[in-house]
């Protein structure tokens, strides 16, 4: 295995266990990564604040990919930010309103925004979107950089959301199934793979020096930009097909187990 210079990992279903916990071994392993000049990069569909909260002590030392690649920072400096147009947002929100039980969240640089009065949904999504604000009408202009529209369905995003929303792929937008209940809508060339590429280029790190971990469809492009690509044991079948290797499940902290194996005795 080549010398690894960057390790990128998805968060939910990958780095975090089912209780949204970080392994107690992470601080020790991170110190070893730091000693060996290996950059650690969490990459998620979450908004930035929903990721950085897990890494408070080292936030200014590492890189972060948020919004499925729409927002990238390294050592607290912005590397990349990609905003949706107001026209696209208004069209999509109007379509979402016509889908029974669908709910929308606009994920932006400063906050996330929602219009739903469904308190159960609000209680659920605010676990992921820690900064949020209710708006009367999401089709109206919001003075913030909107990176992504996250759309929720309580039963199945693949079955009830994607077939209706995929028409927006004809308008230079990417429609990505990012979880059992979520579809993410972003600009067409926004994904975790492009985000990794931008980070790799800015830091002069090659795919052959990159290790990546993922579990869901929105991780596939990211895995393709890493020579050492791992699907979690609990991953979607398409992700297992795209990855070169498999790690044990997130509930067994497979990311850290794989990293420990690479690092050897620490």
């Amino acid at each position: 295995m080549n010398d690894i210079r960057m390790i990128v990992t998805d968060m939910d279903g990958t780095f975090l266990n089912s209780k949204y916990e970080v392994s107690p071994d992470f601080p020790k392993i991170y110190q070893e990564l730091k000693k060996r000049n290996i950059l650690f990069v969490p990459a998620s569909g979450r908004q930035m604040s929903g990721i950085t909260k897990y890494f408070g002590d080292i936030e200014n030392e590492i890189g972060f990919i948020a919004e499925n690649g729409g927002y990238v920072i390294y050592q607290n400096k912005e590397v990349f930010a990609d905003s949706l147009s107001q026209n696209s947002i208004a069209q999509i929100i109007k379509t979402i309103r016509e889908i029974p039980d669908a709910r929308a969240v606009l994920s932006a640089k400063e906050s996330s925004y929602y219009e739903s009065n469904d308190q159960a949904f609000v209680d659920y999504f605010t676990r992921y979107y820690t900064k949020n604000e209710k708006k009367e009408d999401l089709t109206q202009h919001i003075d913030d950089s909107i990176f992504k529209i996250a759309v929720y369905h309580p039963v199945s995003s693949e079955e009830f959301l994607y077939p209706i929303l995929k028409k927006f792929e004809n308008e230079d937008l990417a429609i990505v199934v990012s979880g059992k209940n979520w579809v993410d809508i972003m600009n067409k060339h926004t994904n975790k793979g492009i985000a990794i590429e931008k980070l790799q280029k800015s830091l002069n790190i090659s795919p052959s020096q990159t290790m990546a971990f993922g579990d869901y469809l929105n991780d596939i492009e990211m895995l393709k930009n890493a020579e050492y690509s791992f699907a979690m044991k609990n991953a979607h079948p398409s992700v297992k097909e795209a990855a070169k290797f498999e790690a044990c499940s997130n509930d067994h902290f497979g990311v850290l187990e794989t990293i420990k194996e690479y690092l050897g005795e620490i």
Side-chain angles (χ1 to χ4, degrees):
M1 188 180 278
N2 289 347
D3 284 345
I4 302 297
R5 290 187 55 207
M6 181 162 76
I7 295 175
V8 188
T9 177
D10 172 56
M11 291 290 287
D12 300 290
T14 303
F15 181 68
L16 303 176
N17 68 10
S18 299
K19 295 178 181 174
Y20 306 104
E21 297 168 330
V22 176
S23 166
D25 290 343
F26 177 68
K28 180 185 175 188
I29 291 168
Y30 173 72
Q31 288 308 315
E32 186 61 28
L33 293 176
K34 186 177 173 183
K35 199 187 299 179
R36 299 192 194 190
N37 290 316
I38 299 171
L39 175 64
F40 184 78
V41 183
S44 176
R46 294 183 184 219
Q47 69 180 150
M48 192 63 75
S49 60
I51 313 171
T52 56
K53 68 177 185 176
Y54 289 98
F55 303 97
D57 292 345
I58 61 169
E59 186 181 335
N60 63 350
E61 299 177 356
I62 64 177
F64 291 95
I65 295 170
E67 312 291 2
N68 269 327
Y71 190 26
V72 183
I73 60 174
Y74 169 64
Q75 295 185 343
N76 283 338
K77 293 184 181 70
E78 186 176 296
V79 174
F80 176 69
D82 189 25
S83 304
L84 288 166
S85 74
Q86 182 56 42
N87 184 49
S88 293
I89 294 167
Q91 283 186 62
I92 294 161
I93 293 300
K94 285 172 185 172
T95 302
I96 292 166
R97 287 172 179 167
E98 293 170 7
I99 304 172
D101 301 319
R103 305 282 185 264
V105 180
L106 301 186
S107 195
K109 188 178 286 191
E110 300 302 327
S111 185
S112 63
Y113 305 92
Y114 66 99
E115 62 183 12
S116 174
N117 292 314
D118 177 353
Q119 194 55 46
F121 168 67
V122 174
D123 291 343
Y124 171 68
F125 94 82
T126 51
R127 288 191 299 177
Y128 304 94
Y129 294 86
T130 51
K131 291 182 180 176
N132 49 79
E133 186 182 325
K134 188 173 191 300
K135 294 285 184 182
E136 287 306 308
D137 183 358
L138 291 183
T139 66
Q140 298 302 306
H141 175 74
I142 294 170
D143 189 20
D144 199 349
S145 297
I146 311 293
F147 300 122
K148 182 188 74 181
I149 303 174
V151 194
Y152 171 83
H153 193 279
V155 179
S156 169
S157 55
E158 279 187 89
E159 190 179 344
F160 295 103
L161 298 178
Y162 182 74
I164 295 168
L165 296 171
K166 69 178 179 182
K167 67 180 181 182
F168 290 106
E169 289 174 341
N170 299 324
E171 298 181 27
D172 275 341
L173 295 168
I175 319 301
V176 182
V177 177
S178 61
K180 180 178 181 293
N181 305 102
W182 293 93
V183 160
D184 288 342
I185 304 174
M186 305 155 292
N187 285 325
K188 193 163 201 165
H189 300 294
T190 298
N191 59 58
K192 292 182 184 180
I194 297 290
I196 284 190
E197 208 175 291
K198 289 183 182 298
L199 208 45
Q200 285 168 332
K201 282 180 179 169
S202 70
L203 299 171
N204 197 27
I205 294 172
S206 69
S208 67
Q209 298 169 311
T210 306
M211 182 184 284
F213 298 85
D215 77 309
Y216 223 79
L217 302 176
N218 59 328
D219 296 320
I220 289 175
E221 292 94 347
M222 173 176 86
L223 296 176
K224 287 178 179 173
N225 268 346
E227 180 72 26
Y228 304 100
S229 55
F230 290 82
M232 309 307 289
K233 190 174 181 63
N234 52 287
H236 189 287
S238 299
V239 179
K240 291 184 178 182
E241 203 174 299
K244 293 179 182 170
F245 308 100
E246 187 171 301
C248 57
S249 79
N250 66 316
D251 281 329
H252 289 94
F253 294 117
V255 171
L256 290 189
E257 289 304 310
T258 303
I259 294 172
K260 274 196 274 189
E261 201 174 306
Y262 169 70
L263 294 174
E265 288 298 319
I266 57 170

